[in-house]
């Protein structure tokens, strides 16, 4: 039996495969322009396939985009929160993976711990997709890069400025920099900088600083994320530490004249970004959210062996 194609982290993938997935998503999006949202894509490669989704954390975009994606491919979905499952009563992650592998064709899991997703994938005999962990959010960054390229062309050689926490979403941006060849300048309080193991995955492409104006200067894209992630208990400390790191109009003015703004959402206006920026002309956040659907389809296509 051949090993299933898991989509767990961008650093594990080869660059050519990631580029293939990105281009497929652009093609799929263009091919269904103007179509009703639920019409099945012409190649209907998800027919006879079911995607299971497990959520240990809240989700709006990941949940609805994967559901729309598998339906647009002609397949079906089963969604459960972990607390509704026996997983919530102590059944092991490995046994859950073995059982679901007999029932569905792929599993998307949003988990509290990255190690749990890796354990799930090790035990599964069907493809497993990381829908966000404490350590990474690979599907999100694929949608982000697709969005940038739709509006501004190839990301290779560009400079992205990340303002905020160096946790999961930022880590996947670091992993992406090495695969797609863009620079990433990260600004935030030192104690919330990315883990050294992640920084090491973008050799020569990543800079870290506490000066967000230096980071954003001349940048082609400015990105923010919430100051307090799911599972963070230290709300007050974080709000205090990140208070000087709001992406506002003054910061955007230091970026390149045609710079764009990205945010994975959910957003907190008045915290990591002003309403003027996220609702302003440089913001691509609604395209970014929609592109989650298109990129999830291409990730699924690769997982199913229908792409690459
Ligand atoms: N950006 C993102 O993953 O959103 P959700 O948490 O709503 O899925
Ligand atoms: N960093 C955020 C991303 C949400 C999509 C979190 O983990 O809550």
């Amino acid at each position: 039996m051949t090993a299933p194609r898991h989509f767990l982290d961008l650093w594990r993938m080869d660059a050519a495969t990631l580029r293939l997935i990105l281009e497929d998503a652009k093609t799929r999006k263009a091919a269904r322009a103007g179509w009703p949202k639920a019409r099945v894509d012409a190649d209907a490669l998800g027919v006879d396939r079911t995607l299971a989704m497990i959520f240990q954390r809240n989700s709006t975009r990941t949940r609805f985009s994967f559901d729309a994606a598998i339906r647009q491919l002609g397949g079906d979905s089963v969604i459960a929160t972990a607390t509704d499952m026996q997983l919530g009563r102590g059944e092991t992650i490995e046994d859950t993976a073995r059982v679901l592998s007999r029932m569905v064709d792929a599993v998307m899991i949003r988990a509290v711990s990255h190690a749990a997703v890796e354990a799930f994938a090790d035990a599964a005999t069907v493809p497993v997709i990381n829908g966000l962990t404490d350590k990474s959010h690979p599907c999100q960054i694929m949608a982000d890069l697709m969005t940038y390229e739709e509006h501004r062309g190839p990301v290779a050689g560009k400079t992205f400025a990340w303002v905020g926490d160096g946790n999961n979403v930022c880590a996947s941006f670091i992993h992406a920099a090495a695969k797609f060849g863009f620079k990433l300048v990260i600004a935030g309080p030192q104690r919330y900088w990315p883990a050294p193991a992640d920084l090491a995955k973008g050799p020569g492409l990543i800079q870290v600083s506490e000066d967000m104006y230096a980071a954003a200067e001349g940048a082609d894209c400015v990105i923010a994320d919430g100051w307090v992630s799911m599972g963070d208990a230290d709300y007050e400390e974080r709000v205090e530490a990140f208070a000087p790191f709001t992406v506002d109009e003054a910061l955007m003015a230091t970026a390149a004249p045609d710079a764009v703004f990205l945010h994975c959402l959910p957003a907190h206006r008045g915290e990591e970004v002003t309403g003027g920026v996220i609702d302003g002309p440089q913001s691509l956040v609604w395209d970014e959210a929609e592109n989650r659907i298109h990129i999830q389809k291409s990730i699924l296509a690769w997982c199913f062996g229908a792409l690459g």
Side-chain angles (χ1 to χ4, degrees):
M1 193 173 62
T2 54
R5 286 181 166 185
H6 300 313
F7 192 84
L8 299 181
D9 267 312
L10 300 181
W11 63 266
R12 291 173 179 270
M13 305 285 295
D14 69 78
T17 299
L18 292 175
R19 174 51 68 186
L20 194 66
I21 290 171
L22 203 68
E23 294 305 320
D24 184 68
K26 291 179 191 168
T27 305
R28 285 185 178 281
K29 182 176 182 179
R32 57 177 302 117
W35 284 16
K37 291 187 176 68
R39 184 175 294 171
V40 175
D41 281 358
D43 59 357
L45 65 84
V47 166
D48 295 339
R49 285 175 163 135
T50 302
L51 171 70
M53 287 181 257
I54 303 172
F55 289 93
Q56 283 186 323
R57 296 270 191 225
N58 297 48
S59 172
T60 297
R61 280 142 291 268
T62 304
R63 174 179 176 146
F64 285 92
S65 63
F66 266 107
D67 204 27
I70 189 68
R71 287 165 196 277
Q72 288 186 6
L73 292 176
D76 215 337
S77 67
V78 188
I79 303 178
T81 53
T83 46
D84 291 337
M85 299 170 62
Q86 297 292 5
L87 199 52
R89 294 183 57 245
E91 185 169 17
T92 70
I93 198 98
E94 290 85 359
D95 285 356
T96 308
R98 291 179 190 114
V99 169
L100 290 191
S101 293
R102 300 292 183 101
M103 297 179 175
V104 301
D105 301 284
V107 180
M108 195 288 308
I109 178 164
R110 169 166 287 194
V112 170
S113 117
H114 197 77
V117 172
E118 290 183 333
F120 191 100
D122 284 346
T125 55
V126 298
V128 175
I129 299 170
N130 171 4
L132 181 145
T133 68
D134 56 332
K135 299 277 190 275
S136 59
H137 198 5
C139 301
Q140 177 69 53
I141 278 55
M142 292 297 284
D144 293 3
L145 299 183
M146 176 183 172
T147 307
Y148 181 86
E149 292 202 343
E150 273 182 339
H151 289 266
R152 293 288 184 272
V155 293
K158 301 288 185 185
T159 299
F160 283 43
W162 173 275
V163 180
D165 196 354
N167 67 345
N168 48 10
V169 181
C170 181
S172 286
F173 256 109
I174 295 171
H175 307 160
K179 300 295 176 180
F180 289 93
F182 60 87
K183 289 189 200 136
L184 182 66
V185 189
I186 298 162
Q190 188 167 0
R191 59 200 274 217
Y192 297 108
W193 284 358
D198 286 312
L199 289 172
K201 290 192 169 71
L205 292 166
I206 316 297
Q207 289 173 38
V208 192
S209 140
E210 285 199 295
D211 182 346
M212 71 171 179
Y213 287 96
E217 192 178 344
D220 300 293
C221 178
V222 178
I223 319 151
D225 187 11
W227 292 342
V228 184
S229 283
M230 292 181 278
D232 287 339
D234 50 347
Y235 178 85
E236 307 289 337
E237 270 173 59
R238 285 174 164 272
V239 170
E240 195 182 330
F242 284 106
F245 293 91
T246 299
V247 176
D248 59 11
E249 290 82 339
L251 187 76
M252 290 304 292
T254 69
D258 65 344
V260 296
F261 174 77
L262 296 177
H263 190 308
C264 65
L265 306 176
H268 312 83
R269 289 169 178 78
E271 292 192 5
E272 74 273 9
V273 63
T274 60
V277 170
I278 196 167
D279 301 314
Q282 291 171 287
S283 173
L284 302 181
V285 299
W286 312 122
D287 285 351
E288 183 184 1
E290 178 193 327
N291 283 340
R292 298 291 307 276
I293 302 176
H294 306 294
I295 206 78
Q296 323 293 32
K297 288 198 289 184
S298 302
I299 291 168
L300 286 166
W302 177 78
C303 288
F304 290 145
L307 180 69

